Amino acid sequence: MFVTRGRFTTGVAVADDASCAQLGDAILQLYSLASEAYRDEGVSWRSFCEDVAGVPVQRYRPEKSARVFLSDGTWHAAVDPFGPEAEMPSAADIAHELGAMVRRVLDAVPPRWPTIHQAAIVTSAVGRLIVMPVVRGFSVGPAYTADPDAGSLLAAVRAALPASERGENPGYAEALAAAGVDWRLLDGGATVHLESCRPATSGSPARAVPATGRSPGRPGWAAPTTWPRCAPQRCG
């Protein structure tokens, strides 16, 4: 479980067995944090993702997340931009009550398994299969060729899926040329997309609170202030 000041800011980890008061304290501390503390061109955010959440920035995608903010003396907790799902007046025992409210909101929504890796399988006119990583909706390199049998295809898919996580990939045409594939042989071919999602399991880190959020790989966030989207979101 993680609490963040908002996306691209900074955050802290909260133990899964932490009390509601401890969760509330973490949210309050980050909520009151001065923006100057993390306006450092993404350094604080990268440090949080890599050193605290244990994942690269692009992999911080919480399984559940919520935003928390204070308005006119009332605390709100919500999981979407259409309005708060819970609210409570500011009170003396605010830490405990705030943490409890956030937990209730998160527990009431189903997890959203983020796509960790994605690949596309395309048939070619010569009977072979071309497997390529997919990044932000586009097929990129490297390109892997496979024969239409289970063993060959499985090997190509296993190579292509992790490649979709790279920061820089060869372009589509460049990758096909490097693999000796004429892109024209793919015109009209059938395409299948595969997505690898990693749901949380007992023993795997999976929550983030950014206000709060949970996630499979290991992310989350807590957000306060403006339109804090809650953690990236992992929080929970």
Side-chain angles (χ1 to χ4, degrees), residues 2-72:
F2 306 89
V3 177
T4 71
R5 182 68 172 75
R7 192 161 189 181
F8 305 129
T9 57
T10 188
V12 297
V14 177
D16 284 349
D17 60 354
S19 66
C20 290
Q22 291 172 316
L23 172 57
D25 279 334
I27 294 173
L28 292 171
Q29 289 176 21
L30 283 177
Y31 194 93
S32 61
L33 186 66
S35 59
E36 290 73 18
Y38 52 79
R39 285 183 176 171
D40 48 17
E41 299 184 353
V43 174
S44 292
W45 185 246
R46 287 195 298 274
S47 177
F48 162 71
C49 291
E50 296 173 3
D51 302 333
V52 180
V55 295
V57 171
Q58 65 270 23
R59 285 280 299 282
Y60 186 67
R61 308 168 205 163
E63 148 195 328
K64 291 187 179 184
S65 65
R67 62 190 180 98
V68 176
F69 60 95
L70 180 63
S71 177
D72 296 327

Side-chain angles (χ1 to χ4, degrees), residues 126-203:
V126 294
R128 301 208 76 197
L129 300 174
I130 310 302
V131 185
M132 302 181 73
V134 174
V135 178
R136 291 185 290 277
F138 295 93
S139 294
V140 297
Y144 302 90
T145 59
D147 293 317
D149 64 79
S152 180
L153 178 58
L154 180 59
V157 168
R158 283 179 168 169
L161 284 173
S164 67
E165 194 178 357
R166 295 180 181 175
E168 295 184 4
N169 295 69
Y172 177 78
E174 176 188 349
L176 290 175
V181 177
D182 184 342
W183 62 269
R184 291 170 294 188
L185 296 177
L186 306 185
D187 287 350
T191 302
V192 173
H193 283 82
L194 297 179
E195 294 184 354
S196 172
C197 300
R198 187 163 34 142
T201 57
S202 58

